[in-house]
Amino acid sequence: MSILQCHNLSCGYTTPLFTEFNLDIGAGETVAVMGRSGVGKTTLLTTILGMNRPLQGSVVVDGTNVHRLKFNQPARLRSTTIGTVFQNGELMSGYTALDNVMLPRLLWNKNDPTVHDEAAQLLRELDVEESRMAEQLSGGERQRTALARALINRPKLILADEPTGALDTEVREEAMDLLLAQVHQRNCGLLLVTHDPAIADKANRIITITAHRV
């Protein structure tokens, strides 16, 4: 079954950055997206998240047309079905690693009795001390915490925007291998944006976005 379907997608603002983009990702499949800076790779991710509307085409995540959702439904989809990992981890300073991982679940259920134990287990699996403050974590630890946070709601799809871009070379491949291992273990789809050919080569497929020319 398809986890993500992009059909004839055209993205941009007043004019398209790219057009006629088609993609189908199944459970357990990993796809890397490459392309020059400014071509619209991050815009593709925010469009899939429902934060930008496409100029044309459709995005379907786990059977749901993202841009037909109303009111708080897109936010709920982002929280419960899609996990996100960004370049710098984007953790909340002043909170522990455990707090950061629990947050997406608590946004929808403040009294969830299972979230503490599940978040702590994820951090143990990813080798991060749960009591450490976000600002005390190394680059690699921040990314592992961000991955745990992306996984806490058992997503069907993970979107990763340059998840290894801020890491040293020696840590980069380790972080990517960990991300892929979690995707395969949990049988979710992964769409990865990267500039690094060595990282892209680890995915099942590589798609290159080219700029729209008038």
Side-chain angles (χ1 to χ4, degrees):
M1 176 181 175
S2 293
I3 299 301
L4 171 65
Q5 292 175 302
C6 298
H7 177 66
N8 201 30
L9 204 59
S10 173
C11 292
Y13 301 95
T14 55
T15 58
L17 295 168
F18 60 84
T19 60
E20 299 180 356
F21 180 84
N22 292 282
L23 176 64
D24 193 310
I25 298 180
E29 188 177 12
T30 60
V31 177
V33 174
M34 302 190 74
R36 295 174 59 182
S37 295
V39 77
K41 300 185 298 298
T42 298
T43 301
L44 170 64
L45 297 189
T46 56
T47 301
I48 293 170
L49 286 166
M51 300 167 71
N52 291 326
R53 295 194 68 83
L55 299 174
Q56 179 179 311
S58 63
V59 176
V60 177
V61 176
D62 194 31
T64 298
N65 189 313
V66 173
H67 297 98
R68 290 182 181 172
L69 297 175
K70 298 180 180 180
F71 306 112
N72 70 340
Q73 292 176 323
R76 187 168 184 83
L77 180 76
R78 288 192 290 270
S79 180
T80 59
T81 306
I82 306 174
T84 54
V85 183
F86 298 102
Q87 180 170 338
N88 295 307
E90 306 298 339
L91 303 180
M92 292 179 62
S93 297
Y95 291 86
T96 65
L98 184 66
D99 292 333
N100 271 276
V101 175
M102 291 193 300
L103 182 61
R105 180 86 64 83
L106 294 176
L107 286 173
W108 296 103
N109 185 354
K110 294 179 181 179
N111 300 312
D112 190 319
T114 65
V115 63
H116 181 282
D117 290 346
E118 288 186 33
Q121 177 62 31
L122 276 169
L123 288 170
R124 281 194 295 272
E125 290 178 14
L126 299 174
D127 195 25
V128 179
E129 186 179 332
E130 65 179 65
S131 61
R132 292 191 68 194
M133 304 300 289
E135 54 269 30
Q136 297 174 329
L137 300 174
S138 69
E141 288 170 332
R142 289 180 68 87
Q143 285 303 84
R144 295 199 297 276
T145 302
L147 176 55
R149 182 183 59 192
L151 293 169
I152 189 64
N153 282 327
R154 307 182 193 100
K156 301 290 185 69
L157 174 68
I158 293 179
L159 303 179
D161 192 0
E162 296 285 358
T164 62
L167 301 178
D168 295 336
T169 303
E170 59 191 30
V171 183
R172 198 170 296 162
E173 288 208 11
E174 177 185 337
M176 184 61 189
D177 289 343
L178 183 60
L179 173 58
L180 292 174
Q182 290 294 323
V183 167
H184 293 146
Q185 178 182 329
R186 298 167 192 277
N187 202 36
C188 51
L190 170 67
L191 182 62
L192 164 77
V193 165
T194 183
H195 283 99
D196 189 336
I199 295 299
D201 282 342
K202 292 177 176 288
N204 298 133
R205 286 186 284 145
I206 300 174
I207 293 177
T208 300
I209 294 182
T210 55
H212 173 67
R213 300 189 184 280
V214 180

